[in-house]
Amino acid sequence: MPGNNMFAALLVRDLKIACRHRAEAILPLIFFVIVASLFPLAVSPDPEVLKQTGPGIIWVASLLSVLLSLQSLFRTDFQDGSIEQMLLSPYPTTLLISARLVAQWCITGLPLIIVAPLLGFLLHLDSQVIKVLFISLLLGVPYLNMVGTIGVALTIGIRQAGALLSLLVLPLYVPALIFGSHAVMAAANQQPYQGQLLWLAALLALATTLSPFVIGFALKLSCAYR
């Protein structure tokens, strides 16, 4: 299928570009590790305290890391005209945007999810709690990526749009932060946590369904008012 070939080609292209700019791609992961590691020094090294604050620490650090990774998304493509070529392509815009979203998740989201359990051990979380933490991030980080990409598409034509991007997407990040951190804290307190995970799954399903269309529309607006 031509559409599938284009999806794979665009995905491979973005991954190759990320490999060529390793320092920029790995910066959010380094930021994630540093922020999560510094919290015990500022709060308390007591294991009992860290067990209660650890889920929130990791979730806030992952949220900020995702937001940091979005600062350069689409910037080069917008400057060299690749965005216009993508929008004018005979292939469905939603298919091409989906490839960009998958690539963005592989570059920034997947490393965060892999490293998070190691930080969980650093914060003295139990194995069952780390399992719930992993599942919550597996559901929540893609949602953060997709919602953040909508904000990037809306502000891509604005210089120094970092502050505006934060104002746009942080309110939409709050539900995922609440459900994700509360699910892990519920597991730590041996309480039911399945409801919070189901809400995260619902948010992910909603974002997966709607975000490619919203991002495409936002990119058209940004290119029209360039």
Side-chain angles (χ1 to χ4, degrees), residues 15-158:
L15 294 177
K16 286 183 178 179
I17 292 175
C19 290
R20 293 171 185 168
H21 301 84
R22 296 184 185 91
E24 185 177 348
I26 203 173
L27 181 61
L29 180 62
I30 296 175
F31 177 82
F32 174 63
V33 174
I34 291 176
V35 170
S37 302
L38 289 179
F39 260 96
L41 301 178
V43 180
S44 172
D46 184 10
E48 294 302 321
V49 175
L50 293 178
K51 286 181 181 180
Q52 295 298 320
T53 59
I57 291 171
I58 293 178
W59 256 96
V60 170
S62 62
L63 185 153
L64 295 176
S65 300
V66 170
L67 192 60
L68 177 64
S69 69
L70 296 172
Q71 301 295 325
S72 59
L73 184 63
F74 290 142
R75 182 191 304 162
T76 304
D77 293 336
F78 185 76
Q79 292 172 350
D80 63 15
S82 298
I83 294 295
E84 286 89 343
Q85 294 297 321
M86 183 179 70
L87 296 176
L88 295 173
S89 169
Y91 299 99
T93 304
T94 54
L95 180 70
L96 303 181
I97 290 174
S98 297
R100 303 299 301 271
L101 290 173
V102 173
Q104 175 68 10
W105 182 80
C106 292
I107 295 166
T108 59
L110 188 59
L112 294 182
I113 296 171
I114 294 174
V115 171
L118 301 178
L119 295 177
F121 283 113
L122 177 67
L123 298 175
H124 301 281
L125 300 181
D126 298 331
S127 57
Q128 177 62 24
V129 178
I130 292 176
K131 177 183 175 182
V132 177
L133 172 67
F134 179 81
I135 296 173
S136 68
L137 290 175
L138 193 62
L139 295 172
V141 170
Y143 168 83
L144 299 178
N145 268 323
M146 286 183 279
V147 171
T149 305
I150 295 174
V152 172
L154 288 171
T155 60
I156 192 172
I158 303 174

